[in-house]
Amino acid sequence: MKFQYYIPSRVLFGSGQLDRLHKQNLPGKKALIVISCGTSVRKYGYLARLEEQLDKAGVAHVVFDKIQPNPTEHHVMEGAALAKTEGCDFVIGLGGGSIIDSAKAIAVMATNEGTFWDYVSGGTGGGKAVPVTPLPIVAITTTAGTGTEADPWAVITNPEGEKIGFGYDGTFPVLSIVDPDLMMSVPEKLTAYQGFDALFHSTEGYINRYTNPINDLYALKAIELIGKSLAKAVNNGSDKEAREDVALANTLSGMSESIGGCTSEHAMEHPLSGKNPKLEHGAGLIMLCEAYYTYWAERGVIDDRMIAMAKALGKTDATKPMDFVDVLHDLKVACHVDDLKMSDYGIKEEDLEIYTKMAYDTMGGLFKVDPADMPFEDCLAIYKKAYR
């Protein structure tokens, strides 16, 4: 029983927490606010509320608003250049996982030379150590999906379609605000996609061969909260209690990622949305999940953990590994995402071997923490079984 625990982020959780930002010990005097290229944070007043808080705190600010749902290295470098030009001394990510991930990557490149891909490991990444400490990062999440407010990870895509996770101790947010009030406006489909992403961060952490007792606690609680409340949040976005449950599950899943970590399911999804940017990451995971967890149920190497996850997700009388797959399918139906098809996003069945190779080339480390070794042929077979 050996493990390390390190999650240094201060987290303010609960309704109304954004309004407490001006009272915090903020890490600088001028912030680069990173938001999406969409309209939601302006439309719903979240950006204006953040700017009001910064004004109250006497902190200057400038906005960078070009981040896409699958964030790119190009916009990371553009945001970092703006931070340098404007003399920003910290970065705030206001939005979903892609925004906060981008804020982390921008914070790295605002203080370091070269390109972001110089520091990425996997694929064509240079794998260099980051020589200069990044700018401090503040995360204000408006979605419940990636858990990035409580972990060091940033997932960015390069021009070749390589979508790879990057992170180290220096990219933990120093302060995170998780205010469920900011999540009430997330549409039904995105609520589902994001919630399933949080679910799989937790399930993967729980089956990771290097999990530990603290991670198990976080992961199972997150699974339980999602089983209890995700469908409620999807079907009634104004259900405040359900939104709070899913928000907490998301933060716990981020903590699970910090001290446990994902497995090959995420490695398999990244090439799909990396090469097909219109595919939402959570939707890609939903497409893969039943085939993926059926594989592990049939392998018979984590039977007790599959049963425990089934019970946490809501099948309290679970007795066999496939019970988890069954209750997972039921949750997909309840959230109206059981009809997703790879073919609807332009993914071709004849290209699945290419995606398999990319999964190993870009995120091969995740296969090494699987419950047991997954041969290339088995990975390809999961893609084929999941394909529609």
Side-chain angles (χ1 to χ4, degrees):
M1 191 178 292
K2 297 179 180 178
F3 61 89
Q4 294 186 25
Y5 180 95
Y6 182 67
I7 304 177
S9 304
R10 180 183 298 276
V11 177
L12 303 184
F13 185 96
S15 296
Q17 292 294 344
L18 177 57
D19 296 333
R20 294 186 57 206
L21 181 67
H22 71 281
K23 298 179 180 178
Q24 307 308 306
N25 183 21
L26 296 174
K29 290 298 182 184
K30 186 170 186 179
L32 178 75
I33 303 173
V34 179
I35 63 174
S36 79
C37 59
T39 61
S40 60
V41 296
R42 287 190 169 101
K43 176 181 177 182
Y44 295 108
Y46 305 152
L47 177 61
R49 287 176 60 190
L50 170 58
E51 290 177 324
E52 181 183 4
Q53 289 293 306
L54 294 175
D55 290 341
K56 283 184 177 181
V59 172
H61 43 87
V62 61
V63 174
F64 180 69
D65 61 358
K66 297 187 179 181
I67 305 301
Q68 299 170 336
N70 276 305
T72 65
E73 182 190 26
H74 170 75
H75 288 134
V76 166
M77 297 306 299
E78 189 175 345
L82 179 62
K84 291 177 182 177
T85 301
E86 291 286 340
C88 297
D89 52 7
F90 72 109
V91 181
I92 301 175
L94 173 67
S98 61
I99 308 306
I100 298 171
D101 284 11
S102 298
K104 294 175 182 178
I106 288 168
V108 171
M109 296 315 303
T111 61
N112 287 280
E113 300 299 320
T115 69
F116 181 69
W117 227 249
D118 291 336
Y119 305 104
V120 169
S121 296
T124 59
K128 296 180 180 178
V130 178
V132 182
T133 301
L135 295 181
I137 302 148
V138 173
I140 304 173
T141 181
T142 61
T143 66
T146 69
T148 189
E149 70 272 11
D151 70 45
W153 306 111
V155 177
I156 305 296
T157 303
N158 73 2
E160 285 70 47
E162 292 179 322
K163 183 176 180 179
I164 300 178
F166 164 89
Y168 75 115
D169 286 356
T171 47
F172 273 103
V174 297
L175 172 66
S176 293
I177 291 179
V178 185
D179 186 338
D181 291 349
L182 307 183
M183 303 173 187
M184 306 293 279
S185 58
V186 179
E188 175 184 310
K189 285 290 187 185
L190 292 181
T191 298
Y193 297 162
Q194 293 155 6
F196 273 93
D197 187 19
L199 173 64
F200 297 132
H201 290 159
S202 302
T203 57
E204 291 174 50
Y206 190 66
I207 67 172
N208 184 310
R209 70 173 70 181
Y210 298 114
T211 188
N212 60 70
I214 298 179
N215 177 58
D216 288 352
L217 292 171
Y218 288 158
L220 285 176
K221 185 62 177 179
I223 295 167
E224 175 192 328
L225 289 166
I226 289 168
K228 173 189 173 188
S229 294
L230 179 59
K232 293 178 183 178
V234 168
N235 289 297
N236 179 10
S238 60
D239 186 330
K240 191 166 185 175
E241 182 179 343
R243 289 287 191 185
E244 288 174 344
D245 282 350
V246 178
L248 178 55
N250 180 55
T251 299
L252 290 173
S253 77
M255 293 176 175
S256 175
E257 277 196 281
S258 297
I259 59 175
C262 291
T263 61
S264 56
E265 184 181 20
H266 264 70
M268 293 177 66
E269 196 292 319
H270 280 189
L272 298 179
S273 52
K275 283 290 189 182
N276 304 277
K278 291 184 179 180
L279 171 62
E280 299 88 347
H281 172 58
L285 289 168
I286 291 167
M287 293 172 187
L288 291 168
C289 68
E290 287 189 63
Y292 183 81
Y293 288 100
T294 297
Y295 172 79
W296 290 117
E298 293 175 346
R299 284 289 298 271
V301 292
I302 47 169
D303 289 0
D304 289 347
R305 288 188 170 261
M306 296 283 288
I307 293 168
M309 291 193 301
K311 290 179 177 179
L313 199 57
K315 190 173 179 59
T316 54
D317 60 348
T319 58
K320 58 186 185 299
M322 277 301 293
D323 284 339
F324 176 70
V325 180
D326 293 341
V327 71
L328 183 59
H329 176 78
D330 292 345
L331 183 61
K332 287 171 59 176
V333 172
C335 294
H336 319 297
V337 293
D338 55 311
D339 58 348
L340 290 169
K341 299 178 183 178
M342 293 186 199
S343 55
D344 287 344
Y345 290 87
I347 298 168
K348 299 178 181 178
E349 189 170 11
E350 57 265 31
D351 292 337
L352 293 180
E353 189 164 349
I354 296 172
Y355 290 116
T356 307
K357 185 176 186 303
M358 284 190 71
Y360 283 92
D361 287 347
T362 58
M363 300 284 284
L366 298 189
F367 289 90
K368 296 178 181 178
V369 300
D370 275 342
D373 292 342
M374 180 188 290
F376 185 95
E377 295 76 15
D378 289 6
C379 182
L380 177 58
I382 294 171
Y383 274 120
K384 288 181 176 179
K385 186 172 183 178
Y387 187 84
R388 288 194 294 170

